[in-house]
Amino acid sequence: MKAYKNIVVPTDGSVNSKRALEHAVLLATSMQASITLVYVANIVSVISNFDQIPNASGYVTEQVALDMEEEGKGVLEEFSKEIPQDVEVKSVFEVGSPGPAVLSVAKKYEADLIVMGSRGLGPLKGLFMGSVSSYVVTHAPCPVLIVK
């Protein structure tokens, strides 16, 4: 069996991402690996829902970004508490498109494995898997474990 040293775990606070973290913790504990938690704020998707607000409203955009950052850092902190103290953990907050951002973090931190939920809190776009997990499976440079 391959030894994993760094496991990337994307999270959005959903039940499936919590289940993914449980699996990642088991693997990390047994292989003495570290865990890199990733939260990606997809601000473009959120702001596009405000089609009634003029683009000149910079305050709204700025406030949405601040709220998303606060939410993301809160989720990362909550998930970090679920990881035993003997497992090294890093938390990464990113802004961008979730699939490519997760892969960018995996590359930057030299991930040996990505463990993620099959569906998150976003709209369902895939038949069996969410669009982000499907994207990551298709493009990842390392193995991906999808947790239902």
Side-chain angles (χ1 to χ4, degrees):
M1 177 183 229
K2 179 175 171 58
Y4 301 115
K5 293 298 173 196
N6 185 20
I7 302 169
V8 168
V9 183
T11 182
D12 59 3
S14 66
V15 172
N16 281 339
S17 64
K18 286 183 182 183
R19 287 189 194 119
L21 180 61
E22 291 170 2
H23 286 267
V25 166
L26 285 172
L27 288 167
T29 302
S30 67
M31 296 188 173
Q32 299 176 338
S34 65
I35 292 178
T36 302
L37 293 173
V38 184
Y39 183 97
V40 181
N42 189 352
I43 194 165
V44 173
S45 175
V46 172
I47 290 175
S48 69
N49 291 329
F50 292 111
D51 58 354
Q52 302 300 321
I53 299 172
N55 286 339
S57 181
Y59 172 77
V60 172
T61 304
E62 184 177 329
Q63 190 58 49
V64 168
L66 290 172
D67 290 347
M68 290 180 76
E69 182 174 3
E70 183 178 329
E71 177 186 345
K73 289 184 176 178
V75 169
L76 289 168
E77 185 177 321
E78 175 189 334
F79 275 56
S80 291
K81 291 177 183 175
E82 301 297 318
I83 300 172
Q85 289 189 352
D86 61 332
V87 175
E88 180 186 340
V89 63
K90 294 180 217 62
S91 293
V92 178
F93 175 83
E94 292 284 327
V95 175
S97 180
V102 166
L103 295 180
S104 175
V105 170
K107 182 178 179 180
K108 179 179 180 180
Y109 291 95
E110 300 177 351
D112 301 301
L113 177 68
I114 299 170
V115 180
M116 63 188 301
S118 60
R119 292 186 182 140
L121 296 173
L124 177 63
K125 292 183 182 173
L127 185 56
F128 299 107
M129 289 192 295
S131 60
V132 176
S133 55
S134 181
Y135 181 89
V136 170
V137 166
T138 304
H139 297 92
C142 62
V144 180
L145 173 62
I146 302 295
V147 178
K148 291 172 80 174

